Amino acid sequence: MKEVIRNGKYVELTYKVTDRRLGHVLTRVEFPLGYVHGHNEILAPSVHRELEGKSAGDVIEVAIDGNQIFGRETSRWFFRSHRECPRGVSAGRHLHPHGERQGSDRSFLVTHMDDETLTVDGNNPLCGREVVFTLEILTVRDATDEETKAGGAIHTGADIDPSLLRPV
């Protein structure tokens, strides 16, 4: 009998996110991403709900409105600056400013740059988009105690025979 995804199960999957209107793949995770269901929500809550009851080998698609997760695109995060631009900055690059708020992980996309101005957009790239998550479930099994405590996969270093080590 196949194991099904429910709370306490260790799940490995891969996924891609596609812009529904344009058909462009926005991001893709091709290596197995492991988590413990119900203990570590690594994706949107609606994706986790759709995973419930599925088994290894299943492929599912979940449509998500980016506005519901990240809010609507707002001009509050879009601005122009007449200041001197940092070296190496060009349109299409991301800036990660160090502001007064510690722990802020906001990223700004440089959307335009000329001799006088720098235009940046700090909205989440999924704002205003409807996206489709396509997920392939690779593994479903009982999580170990260690995985449950960690909320996901436990990565250990490579096993090395100590007799093979030599002083440098």
Side-chain angles (χ1 to χ4, degrees):
M1 186 166 175
K2 280 188 163 184
E3 299 263 6
V4 297
I5 297 175
R6 60 182 166 81
N7 286 348
K9 293 292 186 178
Y10 177 80
V11 178
E12 284 185 327
L13 51 82
T14 59
Y15 70 89
K16 71 178 177 181
V17 180
T18 307
D19 182 300
R20 175 171 262 179
R21 186 174 59 84
L22 300 174
H24 295 142
V25 175
L26 303 173
T27 189
R28 179 185 311 263
V29 174
E30 295 177 333
F31 55 90
L33 179 65
Y35 76 99
V36 177
H37 198 78
H39 292 270
N40 184 12
E41 288 200 355
I42 58 171
L43 301 168
S46 58
V47 172
H48 282 272
R49 282 192 298 275
E50 291 296 322
L51 286 167
E52 296 239 352
K54 303 301 187 276
S55 301
D58 290 346
V59 176
I60 65 169
E61 289 189 349
V62 182
I64 295 179
D65 179 353
N67 290 329
Q68 290 180 334
I69 297 173
F70 303 105
R72 295 204 175 278
E73 191 170 42
T74 174
S75 61
R76 182 176 99 185
W77 294 112
F78 182 82
F79 65 92
R80 265 188 191 96
S81 174
H82 294 282
R83 297 182 183 172
E84 188 173 315
C85 299
R87 291 186 194 273
V89 171
S90 59
R93 305 266 323 250
H94 285 271
L95 299 176
H96 303 277
H98 300 296
E100 297 172 8
R101 293 185 344 193
Q102 293 296 321
S104 176
D105 61 354
R106 182 155 303 276
S107 172
F108 292 86
L109 175 65
V110 177
T111 58
H112 178 79
M113 191 173 152
D114 59 32
D115 293 339
E116 297 179 11
T117 61
L118 173 70
T119 306
V120 298
D121 182 355
N123 288 290
N124 185 290
L126 297 183
C127 287
R129 294 184 189 223
E130 185 169 331
V131 297
V132 177
F133 276 74
T134 304
L135 303 103
E136 181 179 359
I137 302 159
L138 306 173
T139 303
V140 179
R141 62 168 170 75
D142 289 331
T144 65
D145 289 340
E146 293 82 16
E147 289 166 339
T148 300
K149 287 176 189 169
I154 305 295
H155 298 285
T156 59
D159 291 331
I160 299 175
D161 182 348
S163 67
L164 299 176
L165 298 177
R166 297 181 294 165
V168 178

